Amino acid sequence: MAKREGKRAVTKKNIRILSLLLLAVAFVITCISVLTAVMPKHYDVKIGEVSPYTIYATRNVTDEASTETLRDAARAAAQTVYRIDTACVETYLRGANAFFDALTALRAEAESLNAAGAEQTLTAEGWGELLSEEQKAALSAKTEPALDETQLCAVLAAGVSEIRLMQDLVLPKLETSLNAGLSEDGLGSVKATCMREVNASTSLTAGLKDVAGIVIEAYMKPTLVVDEDATALAREDAAAATEPVILKKGETIVERGTVLTASQYAILSELSLVRAEQSNMPLIVGTLLLLLIAFALFTLYLYFCRTEVFYDTRRMIILTVFTVLTMLLALLCNTLDVRMNPALIAVMLTALLVCPRIALAESALFAVALGIMASGSGTALLGTDSFMMTASTLAAGIASVFALQRTQSRAALIAAGAIGGAAAVVVVAAVMIMAKETFLSVFAGIGWTLGSSMLATLLVVGSLSIWENLFDVATTARLSELSNTNHPLLKQLMVEAPGTYQHSVMVAALAEAAAERVGADPLLARVGALFHDVGKLRRPQYFKENQKNGENIHDTLPPQESAQTIIAHQKDGVTLLTRYKMPSAVIRIASEHHGNSLMTYFYYKAKQVEGDKVQIKNFRYSGNRPSSKESAIVMLADSCEAAVRSLGETKREAVEEMVHKVIYGKMTDSDNMMTNAPLTLAEFTEIEKSFLKTFSGIMHDRIEYPDLAEVNK
């Protein structure tokens, strides 16, 4: 026992090492693929020299030089911001008021001169004659601006009320215009408007209108000045509102044979395409670290949560092959369009051939790897393309895996792939809309995503049979096809061994219901039961259920020959199933449905004839004991169906007793047929209950119909 345990431990250790090596291979290929996609090619070019290459953008990049030119143009086109200079307004209004105050003082002084020389009120001409040239000059100089002789005489000849009227007419217009803000460009039109209103007044003399004109001309001046801070802010706002010039991935940066400009060199530097310009070491280290973390988490999940897969070499090989193929396909697709996603192929095939939960974890692994690849450069790992690929890969993988849970046929795989593609489309559209892409760009993104998803689905459907046969996996779709009664072996069994066929159908019904009850694979149990006795096709008449007219060929044969003939059907079945390229899981059920049990009937018959000379090994089946739930269930169903059929009656109590006897016997007899079966005592009880329920439905009592001849008497 200790030796056996030690050998088992060594074998388990070897499998663990092999699984880790397979994952290491997948990790290395993934790293090579991702780094190939994100590592930029370096070009030996210099500013002012002719480029020997045509260089394309490896990702979307901003053309800073062109963008800055547009921004400068936007700054120049931005309107200058003005503000009203209140100090100037006050100065101009103060000057105008001082002018009218000076007029009042001037008239008072002139009146004193008039009082000294004449009693009557003088006209403008009279004042002109009364005052000397020196007096006129002195009085004219008292106002700012100064009055000429005509204007002075007009003011002196006017009454106080007329001057007040002129003041009330001019000052409000002046104040309103100055406070509203006057610019150099609009000053002339405002002055003209004010003068038209003054000239339209009938209460003023022509001379006073001239005086009003010089006031307006002197004190109506621009009050708007440039607001430097606001203008600078407006220009920067205009520059900020300018859309940057974006070079799309794949667009030409510099043509071969053209002189490289400083702006083109800046773009190449931004994309790390200039030789010796930047080191790629940070990009390499960061990428490897991210992938290492992703693979480490994936490995830990397999090791601790999915040990049945981690210690299954075949399924680990499948995982490795699919990971490698996906990364190589992703590298190819990345050169065509970043939205082409081949991960759905591996995820769906993994869900079908390995385990749905492993497929979900694999989706996360591919999301990380393809997200990095989609960036196109280490400087854009958090860009739109990278995020879009990561999110869409996860969405497509999760949606398709859950859709596959209800899949029972190959045709339904297309629907599952379409659901995964639809989920990816929603994510891609949402991300592109958030990135403010144009409608045509969003539509193109949807087309690429949905198209690649459907192409991946068609590849899954088309290649599934190849993978099933290559890795010998009994998928749900494959088992569904095998359970079809049109299968050549079943049709042959129906024609050449009808009794065996009916027995197999009964066993299939029992096994399928019991497997579903204890959490085994009901479809595998059903198919295994349908094909478990195909070996009887070699000599169908040697088996009781196929014999007619009560003739039993074994009555004429020696017991050992009869036993060897019947024992051979287990081996013959394996040979026949292998020839038809059946899944190994089905073949195993056929090879284990009798295990190495003893043919008791012929053994005791031989002992009656030969006594102790009989060798028991000649009466044992050569198969192994059931090693899976499905195989054990088929063995129990096979034995119970044969035993119940031998009763010749369908009374419930008799059936219950026989089923319990058979199951209990398989568990406790000296052969220990259930030793290797991964079934618990509680599950054996559930299997027994399931068998009884199925028998009650199949072998129910029927009413006895009267003889028609008696009825017609």
Side-chain angles (χ1 to χ4, degrees), residues 26 43 64 89 185 311 325 360 438 440 591 632:
Y43 299 92
E64 294 293 349
V89 172
D185 296 335
Y311 287 101
L325 288 179
L360 291 175
T438 64
L440 289 178
S591 69

Side-chain angles (χ1 to χ4, degrees), residues 396-414:
I398 293 172
S400 61
V401 170
F402 278 108
L404 285 171
Q405 297 300 300
R406 301 181 181 275
T407 298
Q408 296 293 326
S409 64
R410 296 184 192 276
L413 296 178
I414 298 177

Side-chain angles (χ1 to χ4, degrees), residues 507-568:
V507 173
L510 291 167
E512 184 177 20
E516 189 169 4
R517 191 153 181 168
V518 298
D521 188 340
L523 195 54
L524 176 59
R526 173 179 173 79
V527 174
L530 285 174
F531 290 93
H532 79 286
D533 268 347
V534 293
K536 293 180 180 181
L537 283 171
R538 185 178 179 187
R539 303 181 186 90
Q541 70 278 8
Y542 277 76
F543 299 89
K544 182 67 176 176
E545 65 269 21
N546 298 317
Q547 295 171 355
K548 301 178 181 179
N549 302 323
E551 297 179 0
N552 190 343
I553 195 172
H554 295 290
D555 293 337
T556 62
L557 296 176
Q560 184 170 335
E561 184 179 347
S562 295
Q564 290 299 316
T565 302
I566 293 176
I567 288 172

Side-chain angles (χ1 to χ4, degrees), residues 559-560 601-611 614 619:
Q560 184 170 335
Y601 175 79
F602 290 112
Y603 175 65
Y604 284 110
K605 186 177 179 181
K607 287 195 71 172
Q608 290 175 358
V609 177
E610 301 181 26
V614 177
F619 294 86

Side-chain angles (χ1 to χ4, degrees), residues 214-254:
I214 66 168
V215 175
I216 291 173
E217 184 66 31
Y219 294 108
M220 187 172 284
K221 295 181 179 180
T223 55
L224 290 178
V225 294
V226 176
D227 189 333
E228 298 293 345
D229 294 337
T231 300
L233 182 60
R235 288 172 179 170
E236 291 306 316
D237 288 342
T242 302
E243 291 292 333
V245 178
I246 302 295
L247 274 176
K248 298 288 186 180
K249 180 180 179 181
E251 287 189 22
T252 303
I253 300 173
V254 57

Side-chain angles (χ1 to χ4, degrees), residues 113 127-139 149 152:
L113 294 175
W127 281 105
E129 294 174 358
L130 176 65
L131 298 176
S132 64
E133 292 299 325
E134 291 79 8
Q135 289 174 327
K136 291 177 184 178
L139 291 173
E149 182 178 343
L152 174 63

Side-chain angles (χ1 to χ4, degrees), residues 489-520:
L489 270 180
L490 293 181
K491 292 179 71 174
Q492 185 181 357
L493 196 66
M494 189 186 306
V495 173
E496 298 180 14
T500 300
Y501 175 78
Q502 292 298 327
H503 161 71
S504 298
V505 171
M506 289 280 289
V507 173
L510 291 167
E512 184 177 20
E516 189 169 4
R517 191 153 181 168
V518 298

Side-chain angles (χ1 to χ4, degrees), residues 575-586:
T575 303
L576 198 55
L577 293 175
T578 303
R579 186 185 307 163
Y580 275 84
K581 297 181 180 180
M582 289 285 184
S584 60
V586 176

